[in-house]
Amino acid sequence: MAFIIKPLITEKTNSLSDKQNKFGFVVRPQANKLQIKAEVEALYNVTVTSVDTMNYAGKNKARYTKAGLLRGRSNAFKKAIVTVKEGETIDFYSNI
């Protein structure tokens, strides 16, 4: 079972990867740090030194349309910040 959903590419994670060798991923909520570490090492052929995880709750959203007020909820997700060994890097843009 794949635990990594997608790489997280934002301004903040790009600056973290440039300065501190940290890379962001959106992962499944049931994934633990050991599973995330094993999958990143297998997919990208790097050595992971640490994994930090954050759980985000879904937020309530509402918008006004011609049909009236529509209410909904954004999805809950888990984010992982992976620190890679010094000198190694992950290139997210290589397979585009």
Side-chain angles (χ1 to χ4, degrees):
M1 181 173 160
F3 295 105
I4 294 177
I5 297 172
K6 64 182 179 180
L8 193 62
I9 301 173
T10 61
E11 284 185 37
K12 190 170 185 178
T13 57
N14 282 342
S15 68
L16 278 177
S17 65
D18 292 341
K19 296 175 186 170
Q20 300 176 3
N21 246 12
K22 295 184 178 186
F23 299 90
F25 296 94
V26 176
V27 296
R28 298 197 184 280
Q30 61 270 21
N32 62 32
K33 292 181 181 186
L34 296 175
Q35 294 166 332
I36 295 167
K37 177 181 177 178
E39 190 165 345
V40 169
E41 288 178 343
L43 283 175
Y44 297 104
N45 297 322
V46 293
T47 306
V48 174
T49 56
S50 72
V51 178
D52 300 317
T53 58
M54 293 154 264
N55 283 310
Y56 286 87
K59 295 182 181 179
N60 291 322
K61 303 277 185 168
R63 66 176 190 238
Y64 295 97
T65 64
K66 189 191 294 187
L69 182 66
L70 292 178
R71 295 176 190 262
R73 189 168 178 85
S74 64
N75 293 334
F77 64 97
K78 187 174 193 174
K79 185 164 73 172
I81 302 296
V82 175
T83 305
V84 176
K85 184 178 167 186
E86 195 67 36
E88 296 182 358
T89 186
I90 297 174
D91 186 17
F92 294 131
Y93 304 108
S94 64
N95 58 359
I96 293 178

